[in-house]
Amino acid sequence: MKPRQIKYLFYTALLFCTIVCAFPSCKNEWISPGVVTPVIDTSGSGSTAKADSLPTFNSPSGLALDATGNIYVADWGNNLIREIATTGAVTTFAGSGFAGYTDATGTLASFTMPTGLAIDPQGNLFVADAGNNLIREINPSGAVTTVAGSDTTGYVDGLGPAAVFFNPMGVAVDGNDNIYVADAGNNLIRLIKSGGNVSTFAGTVNTGTSTTLSPFNNPTGVALGPNGNLFVANYLDDDILKVSSSGTVSTFAGRDTIQGSANGTALSATFYYPNSVAADANGNVYVSDGVNNLIRKIDVNGNVSTLAGSGVPGAIDSTGVNASFNGPAGLAVDASGNVYVADSNNNEIRKITPAGVVTTIAGTGLQGAQNGIAVAHRNKRALKIIPKPRLNMIYRPKARRT
């Protein structure tokens, strides 16, 4: 390559980095699960699945369950939305595997680092397409459309493509098709009405001169409880917040910026970078406590306990504290109280019964994008791996009181 060409490429890359971090007080924090590569599916493409082909994932980060028990997975590192049928067959529901932004059907569509998932009673799946700063919708036939966002980074309320998000990472949907978004980079909870109008539901925008601080600090997960309260995984403040239907924010569990794994009453318990939440029909809240490698439970009386996990990174199927996870991320809970976990650094999908029994339902532990049906799980092993945070996030750190 000629020196002039090298110089041109260098200044082009420098200009791109400058644009990405042009916002006041932006921070670029590399939290990588590995290189994002195109799909190589050796067991068939799209909806096909071959028995005993040992399906694989690449840093799965979000889960949703439909009414019949099918599980949808935001396969972050593969830029795919995968489906695990009740038969155990893993297929590609939507996405080409190449990072991009294309509205189409099935594998003709494209995503960039899809993170959070939510599903409505009609079976429409909503995706926090974090890398594209978009909220996408996939209907039961696999057709992908964009609900809101403009593929640019920032903060603007408005209708559909006029709205702007900053690394949206979690979504929840209510019975009226209102979508709640954990807008991580803006430290806000946004609301998308059924007509596509985006507004700010809770939080304060940090303009650099704000005197009112946002209660959120990189919120990454949201879940609706049975009484209409919204629960938020407040990632960088190490706590779980509750937002009432009127938008009032309070601390539900944890101690602001105090990291740990202590159980006990809600406001005495500690977490370490909680990234996702889920709520069951009785009002119990489950927390994916990422760096602690634990799944925690906050019961209706406000008591925090460990549902499963030893705290040591690994992939052991067992009961309660004898089981292990490695960088657990997205959660979903079914009508029977079973909790499903996107075990991100293990590249597996795990299930926890109400009694705390942990099993692996899909994934070999290897990184990949293979579809198929795992007839037998052959990957029960303990891992001695240093836990790593799971996502590449660019965000505005919340201002601190002086």
Side-chain angles (χ1 to χ4, degrees):
M1 185 178 291
K2 295 180 179 180
R4 180 177 296 178
Q5 291 174 309
I6 295 172
K7 184 177 180 181
Y8 173 79
L9 290 175
F10 173 79
Y11 283 110
T12 300
L14 182 62
L15 176 61
F16 174 77
C17 293
T18 302
I19 292 170
V20 168
C21 275
F23 297 93
S25 304
C26 282
K27 180 178 179 181
N28 189 353
E29 183 170 307
W30 177 244
I31 307 179
S32 172
V35 177
V36 179
T37 56
V39 173
I40 301 174
D41 182 9
T42 59
S43 65
S45 61
S47 61
T48 63
K50 186 169 67 177
D52 205 20
S53 57
L54 299 178
T56 52
F57 301 88
N58 188 351
S59 297
S61 64
L63 297 177
L65 290 165
D66 69 14
T68 59
N70 299 304
I71 305 168
Y72 297 90
V73 182
D75 197 359
W76 188 89
N78 285 320
N79 300 303
L80 295 175
I81 306 301
R82 314 283 290 282
E83 179 181 356
I84 308 172
T86 54
T87 61
V90 178
T91 57
T92 298
F93 185 54
S96 65
F98 293 91
Y101 162 40
T102 306
D103 283 344
T105 299
T107 56
L108 298 176
S110 58
F111 303 86
T112 302
M113 298 183 289
T115 305
L117 298 179
I119 197 164
D120 69 13
Q122 291 74 43
N124 298 301
L125 188 68
F126 298 92
V127 183
D129 193 4
N132 285 321
N133 297 301
L134 301 173
I135 306 302
R136 316 285 291 279
E137 179 179 352
I138 313 173
N139 73 13
S141 299
V144 180
T145 56
T146 298
V147 177
S150 60
D151 195 22
T152 58
T153 298
Y155 165 67
V156 178
D157 284 337
L159 183 64
V164 182
F165 298 90
F166 191 175
N167 203 22
M169 294 180 64
V171 285
V173 59
D174 67 18
N176 296 316
D177 290 331
N178 297 306
I179 306 167
Y180 299 85
V181 180
D183 193 3
N186 282 319
N187 297 316
L188 299 173
I189 304 300
R190 313 284 289 279
L191 172 63
I192 309 173
K193 290 287 189 179
S194 56
N197 190 58
V198 179
S199 61
T200 298
F201 182 61
T204 304
V205 179
N206 181 8
T207 62
T209 59
S210 302
T211 56
T212 302
L213 302 182
S214 177
F216 304 103
N217 195 0
N218 203 230
T220 53
V222 286
L224 282 163
N227 56 2
N229 290 319
L230 187 74
F231 299 96
V232 181
N234 200 26
Y235 185 76
L236 291 182
D237 274 352
D238 305 295
D239 55 10
I240 308 302
L241 301 184
K242 181 175 75 172
V243 188
S244 71
S245 57
S246 63
T248 302
V249 182
S250 60
T251 301
F252 184 64
R255 302 173 66 187
D256 186 4
T257 70
I258 297 178
Q259 297 169 339
S261 59
N263 291 320
T265 58
L267 299 184
S268 67
T270 52
F271 301 87
Y272 196 170
Y273 289 172
N275 56 55
S276 297
V277 285
D280 67 20
N282 297 318
N284 300 300
V285 176
Y286 302 89
V287 180
S288 181
D289 198 359
V291 176
N292 281 325
N293 298 302
L294 300 174
I295 306 302
R296 315 283 290 280
K297 178 181 178 180
I298 310 169
D299 68 22
V300 293
N301 297 315
N303 297 309
V304 179
S305 59
T306 298
L307 178 65
S310 65
V312 177
I316 299 173
D317 285 341
S318 189
T319 301
V321 297
N322 295 315
S324 59
F325 303 88
N326 191 7
L331 299 178
V333 59
D334 67 18
S336 300
N338 298 300
V339 178
Y340 298 82
V341 183
D343 197 1
S344 189
N345 290 344
N346 281 328
N347 301 304
E348 295 178 338
I349 309 302
R350 317 284 292 279
K351 176 183 176 181
I352 312 172
T353 69
V357 178
V358 179
T359 55
T360 299
I361 61 174
T364 66
L366 299 176
Q367 189 179 90
Q370 183 167 281
N371 289 323
I373 305 172
V375 175
H377 179 58
R378 305 185 180 90
N379 191 46
K380 295 180 179 178
R381 82 272 183 225
L383 297 180
K384 293 183 178 179
I385 299 176
I386 298 173
K388 56 188 175 184
R390 66 188 179 94
L391 295 173
N392 176 20
M393 295 185 293
I394 300 172
Y395 61 93
R396 283 191 192 88
K398 185 176 75 172
R400 294 291 182 190
R401 293 181 177 87
T402 57

